[in-house]
Amino acid sequence: MKKIGLLPRLIIGILGGILIGFQFPEWIGNTLYTFTHIFGEFLGYIVPLIIVSFIVPGIADLGKKAGRLLAGTAGLAYASTITAGIIAFFISIFIIPLIVTEGSVADAEAPGLSPIIELEIPAIMGVMTALVTAFIFGLGINYIRHEKAYTLLYQGMNEFREIIVLTIKKIIIPLLPLHIAGIFADMAASGEAFHILGVFGQVFILIILMHFGYIFIQYSIASSRTGVNPFKAIKNMIPAYLTALGTMSSAATIPVTHRSTKQNQVSDETTDFVIPLSATIHLAGSTITLVACSVAVLIIGDQTPQFMEFLPFILLLGVTMVAAPGVPGGAVMAALGLLSSILGFTEAQTGLMIALYMAQDGFGTACNITGDGAIALIVDSFVNKKKKAKA
């Protein structure tokens, strides 16, 4: 029997939760919401561990690659990710309020569900503490990579990451539909579920359009540097886009991205270096999704997103999500701490973010890796220019 994919299970969870909230006795809804409450506490506990386990090996891995090529690629990738987030914020803040009418804003006075048992699972450390710790250990391991202790520390952090990734794949991802079901059961009980689903459907379309628009912007910039036809270059990347859409993993798509990039006449040297690196650090599509979803969730909650609040969120997203592309849904998992610590998201708002992000994870990943091809074109233009100058 073929295994049901995550997206269908999320849809089943949403519909099942709404049905329970509307039609089932309150004690059944409270029982389901008890799981959602405990699972939310577990997510809060594991978020700092996700940050440390993703960022430390990601920074340590950069130590294997040295020189201006690394600095140029990393700089372009980060600039692209941040630019994507800023553009997404201003488009979202302009369009989403037109989607979210007064009737779609949650009624704060409406009664919802309540957990039968409340359980607190305190995190080992705060989100910002985890970020600082990750940078210290990542840079420290990178610095001592020529010493004996490097191998032990590097292997230890990679094994720690494997444990966290295993936890995400075997526990968090399989239980997410049930968690989402509890959140939507609570929304159904308070009468806001259908309003929110209607808004999210339109936000989903907006996000996809922003992905396509930003891909075109990236290849237009690459065209100005290289003279390549942007439409032809994007056409050559379609196999990589479709592969990422299915795998929902930039890392798993690297072989196809590599082949598609070379079809755009990027040199072997640049392709071999830029594509694997960009698959880890270039997250424009994921950032667009996270920013747009965050704006939507805040507006639905009758809050007004402010750019100066979102700017630190966007800047840190580009760092926090390092190495997350190897895990389907890893980007939103890595961002959970920032959502709560910087944007002040509640447990219910975090659940909405997870649901919306996971529903389109493949599209965000596809935007990420398609943009990697544009980064490779730009980097290659600088490399070839230097080669010609030396000759």
Side-chain angles (χ1 to χ4, degrees):
M1 184 177 178
K2 189 176 180 181
K3 186 177 179 182
I4 301 176
L6 178 60
L7 180 56
R9 284 187 284 127
L10 283 173
I11 294 173
I12 292 171
I14 291 172
L15 297 178
I18 293 173
L19 181 63
I20 290 172
F22 270 131
Q23 299 293 334
F24 282 63
E26 186 177 351
W27 69 267
I28 294 180
N30 287 337
T31 301
L32 175 60
Y33 193 68
T34 299
F35 169 81
T36 294
H37 163 71
I38 295 174
F39 190 81
E41 288 289 321
F42 176 70
L43 283 179
Y45 163 79
I46 203 170
V47 161
L49 302 182
I50 291 175
I51 291 172
V52 172
S53 66
F54 280 10
I55 293 180
V56 173
I59 295 176
D61 280 337
L62 296 180
K64 296 181 179 180
K65 310 175 181 75
R68 295 179 179 177
L69 194 58
L70 168 62
T73 303
L76 280 171
Y78 186 72
S80 174
T81 299
I82 300 310
T83 302
I86 293 173
I87 292 174
F89 174 82
F90 285 107
I91 292 176
S92 299
I93 203 68
F94 176 73
I95 295 179
I96 293 177
L98 303 177
I99 298 172
V100 183
T101 60
E102 287 186 15
S104 63
V105 176
D107 181 2
E109 300 299 323
L113 301 175
S114 57
I116 298 172
I117 300 173
E118 293 191 15
L119 179 67
E120 291 187 7
I121 309 176
I124 294 175
M125 64 184 83
V127 172
M128 294 309 298
T129 302
L131 280 170
V132 174
T133 302
F135 271 102
I136 291 174
F137 276 86
L139 293 172
I141 292 173
N142 192 344
Y143 182 77
I144 65 169
R145 63 183 180 273
H146 299 299
E147 300 180 16
K148 291 181 180 180
Y150 167 76
T151 302
L152 181 62
L153 288 170
Y154 179 74
Q155 289 179 348
M157 289 310 305
N158 272 287
E159 289 172 1
F160 176 47
R161 182 181 184 276
E162 289 178 10
I163 292 172
I164 299 301
V165 168
L166 193 65
T167 303
I168 292 174
K169 288 183 176 180
K170 299 297 184 181
I171 299 177
I172 294 178
I173 297 299
L175 292 177
L176 267 181
L178 195 57
H179 177 59
I180 300 302
I183 290 172
F184 274 87
D186 181 49
M187 291 179 185
S190 61
E192 59 187 87
F194 288 111
H195 293 309
I196 290 176
L197 283 178
V199 171
F200 275 7
Q202 297 173 76
V203 172
F204 181 88
I205 296 172
L206 174 63
I207 289 170
I208 303 304
L209 292 176
M210 284 195 286
H211 285 167
F212 290 155
Y214 195 67
I215 288 172
F216 181 73
I217 289 174
Q218 291 176 100
Y219 279 90
S220 296
I221 294 173
S223 174
S224 68
R225 286 285 312 174
T226 64
V228 66
N229 184 321
F231 295 101
K232 184 178 179 180
I234 293 172
K235 180 182 177 182
N236 288 335
M237 295 300 296
I238 289 177
Y241 183 94
L242 295 177
T243 302
L245 197 59
T247 62
M248 296 189 294
S249 170
S250 295
T253 313
I254 286 175
V256 184
T257 312
H258 187 278
R259 184 170 64 248
S260 297
T261 301
K262 290 184 71 173
Q263 289 180 348
N264 284 331
Q265 307 304 312
V266 179
S267 67
D268 291 348
E269 177 190 359
T270 302
T271 303
D272 293 346
F273 180 86
V274 173
I275 294 305
L277 178 60
S278 295
T280 300
I281 64 176
H282 184 223
L283 300 146
S286 297
T287 302
I288 288 172
T289 303
L290 287 166
V291 170
C293 292
S294 300
V295 170
V297 169
L298 288 174
I299 292 176
I300 286 172
D302 204 17
Q303 297 170 266
T304 304
Q306 301 293 331
F307 177 67
M308 293 313 296
E309 292 179 356
F310 264 78
L311 184 58
F313 174 70
I314 294 169
L315 293 174
L316 287 173
L317 266 184
V319 177
T320 306
M321 294 188 296
V322 169
V327 186
V332 69
M333 293 301 163
L336 291 181
L338 300 180
L339 290 170
S340 59
S341 64
I342 296 179
L343 300 183
F345 270 40
T346 64
E347 184 179 299
Q349 289 175 320
T350 299
L352 284 176
M353 277 294 299
I354 295 173
L356 185 54
Y357 184 90
M358 295 298 289
Q360 68 76 67
D361 189 19
F363 288 96
T365 303
C367 180
N368 290 343
I369 63 91
T370 305
D372 294 348
I375 296 291
L377 278 166
I378 296 171
V379 171
D380 197 50
S381 69
F382 286 104
V383 172
N384 289 334
K385 183 178 179 180
K386 289 179 180 179
K387 285 182 177 179
K388 290 178 180 179
K390 289 181 179 179

